[in-house]
DNA sequence: GATGAATGAGTGTTCATTCAT
DNA sequence: GATGAATGAACACTCATTCAT
């Protein structure tokens, strides 16, 4: 029922839809709920979006494009930049990268929830996500790891794809756990020590260094 | 459309619902679709389940109880049993455990998908899941890790909860990736080398052992 | 609001739709009006008809098929049969034919109204009408007239198609006038003297026979 | 989408509405379609017409008044005028009259279509049509025929009303057939030989003059 | 017990009409 | 005057649920 300042109806609807979709899922939400939440009449929604599905698509395309930009293009640059600070080692680079990335995720938690839920049920949107974000990200990550393997910083026997997916899984699940267990993300992930611990595990594992090596 | 043998209607409905829910989400599915898939009349559904929601609840309660049994109770026993084969080291125990666990997951992929999707939107079911599975599992895992820390097999500085969640995250995401990227899980996860690699990363990390140690 | 005996819901809906469509036109009618008129719930309509348009199509296809049978096939037979009563002259045959045809039209006036109104706006239905009724009827009529021309009963200079259309137009317009002017067709067309007069005009015209011949 | 010259908005809207109504029927048309067709904003329509129905009313009232003038008043004068060319016989007068009338109809085919369609569903408009056009026209026609009967030019037994309606029906149906069968009226009716044939049938009928008379 | 026809509240969507600019 | 964004009642259609058979 929040009155938005004029001209921004489309945004108000998008924001309302993000909120409602993330709470009730796409199919569990009603255009009338979205309208109420956006503070507009139900008919107004259809001046901005042809169908309900169109709202979802526009939301997800937006996220995907924003991710495609920040994750793929920008993180590449970041890698290279940090590289120049050559005394920062790989772990520190990854930690910094992760911290920054989690800030974005934290700021858009409902969007992330919608993304991971709805992508399962809308193959058209999943396709875009995979092509624009998953594959390019994986390429960047794999290239990075391969380079580090050549530099002797990462074990030669590590499979770059598996390592990448493991890392993303750790992070993703951390976010998911907090999201589902604590309902609200009171403890800021990006500032939690957990983040550092995850990267430590990724790099050094949990096993004690026995004298066996 | 599958005709079930007499008396098994409830099961036929459950199986049909699992299939349909996993493909279209709970709210995206229709009781008429479920009936058709189960080979029963729509009305029949409501002789076995008071409401549509009740089908979902019964499905998830079943999964949860099965998991509560196998994961929490049985895996504890397994830990202790393997323990006796004392020449099997920790990594091997975990790998065996994981392999066995993934077999179960693979056999119930649609159920897992429903679980992780719907639990977000049904707080009542989420509560049961967390209390019956998540917390007890975490307790077992943490206890195991703490013991191993005392035995000097796992680094003292490792946080048991974080390590557990990291591991679950790696595995969960592996499953998820295959599920979403390749649509069908042709490559058996439980037999893939990826599984071993994940456990290796968990225990030893990806970083090359420099002479720093 | 008329309660129909069980099993006949589809017919009740068709009848209700015929009534409502004929009073308000297809686009001016509401499925809820039709439901009310048929004495069923609105949802029931859609158990029998996929869409609102489907009701119209089924109605018109029914009329068209019934006309195709009675007008085209049966009237041909009637022509030939009456022919055998060879002392009945052409005018009497046509009058009898027309009288019988008008009875059918009178019994289905709302249907006729729907037919002539909606066929203008639904090209798919118009196509069926023209192909199944208009063209075959015209063929029969033209063949009849041509034969009569050869027999010296009809003027050689008469164009068969024009004559047919003129006759149909006279009759059609008579029906239309009564329909629109008197709202209800209290005076039975099929029994009115007007019918005979029309056929007289068709055959002998209105001009007085001057001695010019 | 046609931009109209300033000041002519009302006419632009009327013309657009005539086009759209004739293609989709009154209830099947949208004010937004009319606005687009007229090249004005949707709101503008409602500066010139209180309601959508008001557009239809104004269109039909216009037609009706124009017909009332041309058909009733002017054709009467024409009859009398032609009368003076006393060597033109009745058939020639009617043919000339019809030719001229059909030119008007051809130039306003969409209007005619709207008139005959919508008049069925709008009793208020039908009333005006009948009172201003149908009845007065009928009166003129009947008076003419009665006079011709007295002059011995038309058979005494002809019913003037029936004859008039028959004639109008022939013409009306000729127009309708072309309209519906050939979609576009490529062949000009007013110049087609069909017109003469119709008048010939009206006056002399189709029956061959046997020696029986 | 099993059925599936029937229901009607509820859904996404349309559209004539209003009104601030 | 003209606009077109905004409205919300009304629409065609869906679906979980009931119940007579």
């Amino acid at each position: 029922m929040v009155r938005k300042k004029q001209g921004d109806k489309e945004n108000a609807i998008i924001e309302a839809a993000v909120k409602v979709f993330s709470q009730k899922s796409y199919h569990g939400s009603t255009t009338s709920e979205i309208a109420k939440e956006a503070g507009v009449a139900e008919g107004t929604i259809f001046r901005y979006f042809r169908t309900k599905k169109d709202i979802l698509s526009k939301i997800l395309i937006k996220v995907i494009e924003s991710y495609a930009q920040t994750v793929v293009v920008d993180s590449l640059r970041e890698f290279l930049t940090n590289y120049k600070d050559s005394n920062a080692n790989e772990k520190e680079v990854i930690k910094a990268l992760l911290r920054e990335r989690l800030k974005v995720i934290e700021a858009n938690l409902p969007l992330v929830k919608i993304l991971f839920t709805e992508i399962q049920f809308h193959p058209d949107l999943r396709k875009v996500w995979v092509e624009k974000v998953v594959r390019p990200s994986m390429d960047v990550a794999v290239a990075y790891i391969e380079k580090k393997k050549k530099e002797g910083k990462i074990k030669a026997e590590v499979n770059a794809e598996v390592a990448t997916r493991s890392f993303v899984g750790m992070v993703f699940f951390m976010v998911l756990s907090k999201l589902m267990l604590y309902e609200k993300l009171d403890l800021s992930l990006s500032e939690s020590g957990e983040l550092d611990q995850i990267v430590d595990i990724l790099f050094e594992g949990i096993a004690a260094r026995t004298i066996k090596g």
Side-chain angles (χ1 to χ4, degrees), chain A:
Chain A
M1 208 64 85
V2 188
R3 268 262 135 221
K4 290 282 150 184
K5 39 198 69 167
Q6 52 96 251
D8 258 333
K9 294 252 150 104
E10 179 164 350
N11 272 342
I13 293 164
I14 288 256
E15 275 167 38
V18 166
K19 188 169 173 188
V20 177
F21 285 165
S22 77
Q23 280 166 5
K24 312 202 169 187
S25 86
Y26 172 73
H27 277 121
S29 305
T30 298
T31 51
S32 109
E33 285 174 291
I34 296 170
K36 214 172 287 170
E37 180 68 36
V40 303
E42 203 167 350
T44 304
I45 288 181
F46 295 91
R47 290 191 63 75
Y48 294 93
F49 306 89
R50 280 181 14 273
T51 62
K52 187 190 170 195
K53 173 77 188 275
D54 193 38
I55 311 178
L56 180 65
S57 300
K58 284 208 178 119
I59 288 176
L60 289 191
I61 296 300
K62 235 172 113 174
V63 192
I64 290 170
E65 265 155 18
S66 131
Y67 266 64
Q69 177 65 24
T70 57
V71 175
V72 182
V73 180
D74 295 355
S75 61
L76 218 165
R77 191 174 323 137
E78 193 164 345
F79 269 103
L80 297 176
T81 306
N82 276 299
Y83 224 11
K84 300 244 163 169
D85 305 0
S86 55
N87 55 344
N89 69 17
E90 290 70 27
K91 254 172 70 176
E92 294 314 311
V93 172
I94 299 296
K95 281 181 182 173
L97 174 72
L98 180 55
R99 213 179 319 274
E100 198 258 349
R101 204 97 337 242
L102 277 176
K103 258 185 215 144
V104 177
I105 289 176
E106 279 181 306
N108 297 288
L109 233 29
L111 275 174
V112 173
K113 193 172 168 189
I114 296 173
L115 182 67
F116 277 93
T117 301
E118 300 310 336
I119 247 173
Q120 301 177 68
F121 304 110
H122 302 271
D124 52 336
L125 298 172
R126 180 166 61 237
K127 199 165 162 258
V128 182
W129 169 247
V130 170
E131 281 172 9
K132 290 232 184 178
V133 176
V134 176
R135 273 210 257 280
S137 305
M138 186 57 87
D139 291 345
V140 170
V142 168
Y144 176 79
I145 291 179
E146 293 302 340
K147 180 191 286 189
K148 289 300 167 186
K149 278 160 74 171
K150 274 184 195 135
E151 292 176 11
K153 301 286 179 56
I154 288 180
K155 289 174 189 160
E157 70 266 26
V158 162
N159 176 305
E161 257 199 51
V162 174
T164 304
R165 217 147 46 219
S166 296
F167 181 52
V168 173
M170 289 172 172
V171 175
F172 174 71
F173 198 71
M174 175 177 79
V175 173
L176 203 74
S177 304
K178 305 263 168 177
L179 209 64
M180 275 174 40
L181 257 64
Y182 309 110
E183 304 285 323
K184 299 255 152 123
L185 219 51
D186 44 323
L187 172 68
S188 168
L189 279 172
S190 54
E191 293 170 10
S192 88
E194 192 163 343
L195 189 155
D196 287 321
Q197 294 173 43
I198 281 180
V199 180
D200 288 340
I201 291 176
L202 175 72
F203 274 80
E204 279 125 28
I206 62 170
R209 298 280 168 82
T210 56
I211 328 180
K212 73 169 176 180

